[in-house]
C-alpha cells in the first residue's frame, strides 16, 4: 500500500471495515466514518443522560426509605448512577465532543434519555421494581454492550455491569421482602409490577422491523443482538423470578411456548411508548426542568471552583518567585 | 551535576496490549523530549510486541493520592455496595 493510498478515504474505510470484520475494537485515535462517530456520540450521550436523569425517580425516595439501612443502600445506588453517567460522558468525550455541549444538547431537548425515567415512583415498592425490572432490563442490554465495537464504550460498560448487579439484587430483595410481607405490602409489590412491567419491556426499543437504527448498528458491531432478541431474553429470565415472588405479570397472553423454548408475550402499546418518547409521558417536563434547574443552580459552584483554582495558581506562582 | 544529568525528565509509560483494552502503566523512561520518550518507551517496554499503542506522560504531570493515607481514601467500606450483600434464593439462580 502506498502512502497516497493510505490517506485516501477509501483506504481508511477499508481498514475500518477490516478492524470490525476481525472483531477488533475501534479506538479513539482511529479513523472512523463520520456517521459511525455521530451514531456513537448519540448513543453514548443518550446512555449517559439516562444514568443522570435516572437519579431523579429513585432519589425521590431517599428521604422516605423505610429504614436507615434501606436509605444507605439507596444513597449508594443513586451515587452509582451518577458515577455511571460520568464514565459514559468521559467515553463520549473521546469522540471529540465536549461535556458542556452534551449538557447543552440534553437541556435543549436535542438529545434524549431513556423514556423509562419519565414514569413516576409512587410508592416504596417502585424502588424495588426499578432495581429488579428496570436495572434488570438495562443489564441485559449492557452485557451485550460490553462487547460493542467502540473501545471506550465497551470498557465503561464492563465497569458499569459489575456495579449493576448490586442494583438488581437489592431491587429483587426489596420485592421479595414486600411479597412475603403483609397483604398490604404484597399488594404494593403487585401494583409496582403492574405499572413497571410494560415500560420495562419497552426499554429495548421498537420491534426490529420498525427500528431505524438496528440494521446499521449491527453492521457496525455496535449492537450484537437486536431489540427483540434482548427483550425475549429479559422476559425469559424475569417470568420465573415473578413466579417465585408469587406476583402476577400483567399480561394475559404471557405463556411458555414449548416449541420455541421461550415465553410468548402480548403486544406492546407502541403508541404509548412513542407518546412518552416525544415528550408527553407523566414526568417528561418535570425531569428535564429539574435537570436544567440544578444545572443553573450549580453555576456558582463551577465558577467558584475555577476562581479558586486561578487564585491558588496565582498564589503558588508568587511563592515560587519568592523562593 | 552535569547539564545532561539534570536535563532529561522522567516520563511514565502506558501500554495498550491490544485493541479494546485500557492503556496500563508499564514503567518509566528518561528522555529529553516527548518524541524520544515515545521511542525509548517502545525500545524499553515493547521489544516483544507487547502492545498496539503507547502513551507517555511527564511524571511531574501526574497527580497522585498519598499511599500512606490509604484509609482516608479507601477505608470507607460499605459492604452493601457489593452484590453478594443481598441474598438471592437458590431457586432464582444467577442475578
Amino acid at each position: 500500500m502506498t502512502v497516497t493510498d493510505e490517506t485516501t478515504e477509501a483506504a481508511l474505510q477499508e481498514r475500518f471495515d477490516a478492524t470490525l470484520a476481525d472483531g477488533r475494537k475501534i479506538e479513539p485515535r482511529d479513523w472512523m466514518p463520520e456517521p459511525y462517530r455521530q451514531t456513537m456520540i448519540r448513543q453514548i450521550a443518550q446512555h449517559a443522560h439516562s444514568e443522570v436523569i435516572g437519579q431523579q425517580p429513585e432519589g425521590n425516595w431517599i428521604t422516605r426509605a423505610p429504614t436507615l439501612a434501606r436509605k444507605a443502600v439507596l444513597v449508594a445506588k443513586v451515587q452509582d448512577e451518577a458515577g455511571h453517567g460520568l464514565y459514559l460522558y468521559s467515553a463520549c468525550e473521546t469522540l471529540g465532543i465536549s461535556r458542556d455541549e452534551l449538557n447543552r444538547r440534553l437541556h435543549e431537548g436535542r438529545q434524549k434519555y431513556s423514556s423509562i425515567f419519565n414514569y413516576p415512583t409512587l410508592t416504596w415498592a417502585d424502588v424495588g421494581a426499578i432495581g429488579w425490572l428496570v436495572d434488570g432490563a438495562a443489564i441485559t442490554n449492557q452485557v451485550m454492550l460490553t462487547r460493542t465495537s467502540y473501545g471506550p464504550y465497551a470498557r465503561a460498560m464492563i465497569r458499569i455491569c459489575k456495579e449493576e448487579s448490586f442494583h438488581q439484587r437489592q431491587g429483587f430483595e426489596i420485592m421479595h421482602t414486600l411479597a412475603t410481607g403483609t397483604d398490604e405490602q404484597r399488594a404494593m409489590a403487585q401494583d409496582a409490577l403492574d405499572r413497571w412491567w410494560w415500560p420495562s419491556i419497552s426499554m429495548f426499543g421498537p420491534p426490529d422491523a420498525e427500528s431505524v437504527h438496528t440494521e446499521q448498528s449491527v453492521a457496525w458491531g455496535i449492537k450484537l443482538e437486536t431489540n427483540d432478541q434482548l427483550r425475549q431474553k429479559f422476559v425469559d429470565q424475569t417470568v420465573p423470578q415473578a413466579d417465585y415472588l408469587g406476583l402476577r405479570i400483567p399480561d394475559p397472553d404471557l405463556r411458555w411456548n414449548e416449541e420455541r423454548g421461550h415465553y410468548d408475550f402480548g403486544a406492546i402499546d407502541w403508541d404509548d411508548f412513542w407518546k412518552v418518547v416525544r415528550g408527553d409521558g407523566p414526568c417528561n417536563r418535570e425531569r428535564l426542568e429539574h435537570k436544567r434547574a440544578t444545572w443553573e443552580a450549580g453555576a456558582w459552584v463551577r465558577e467558584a471552583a475555577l476562581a479558586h483554582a486561578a487564585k491558588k495558581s496565582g498564589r503558588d506562582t508568587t511563592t515560587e518567585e519568592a523562593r | 551535576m552535569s547539564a545532561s544529568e539534570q536535563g532529561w525528565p522522567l516520563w511514565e509509560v502506558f501500554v495498550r496490549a491490544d485493541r479494546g483494552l485500557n492503556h496500563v502503566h508499564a514503567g518509566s523512561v528518561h528522555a529529553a523530549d516527548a518524541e524520544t520518550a515515545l521511542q525509548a518507551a517502545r525500545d524499553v517496554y515493547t521489544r516483544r510486541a507487547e502492545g498496539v499503542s503507547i502513551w507517555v506522560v511527564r511524571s511531574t504531570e501526574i497527580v497522585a493520592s498519598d499511599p500512606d493515607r490509604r484509609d482516608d481514601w479507601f477505608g470507607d467500606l460499605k459492604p452493601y455496595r457489593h452484590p453478594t450483600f443481598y441474598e438471592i434464593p437458590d431457586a432464582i439462580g444467577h442475578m
Side-chain angles (χ1 to χ4, degrees), chain A residues 9 12-13 16 26-27 29-34 37:
Chain A
E9 180 139 334
L12 292 166
Q13 177 75 49
F16 173 84
I26 305 300
E27 294 293 350
R29 294 188 178 202
D30 293 342
W31 180 90
M32 59 189 90
E34 198 50 27
R37 186 184 297 277

Side-chain angles (χ1 to χ4, degrees), chain B residues 8 18 25 36 44 49 54 56 59 63 67 91 95:
Chain B
W8 280 26
D18 199 359
H25 187 240
T36 48
V44 175
I54 301 174
V56 290
S59 304
V63 182
M95 181 180 279

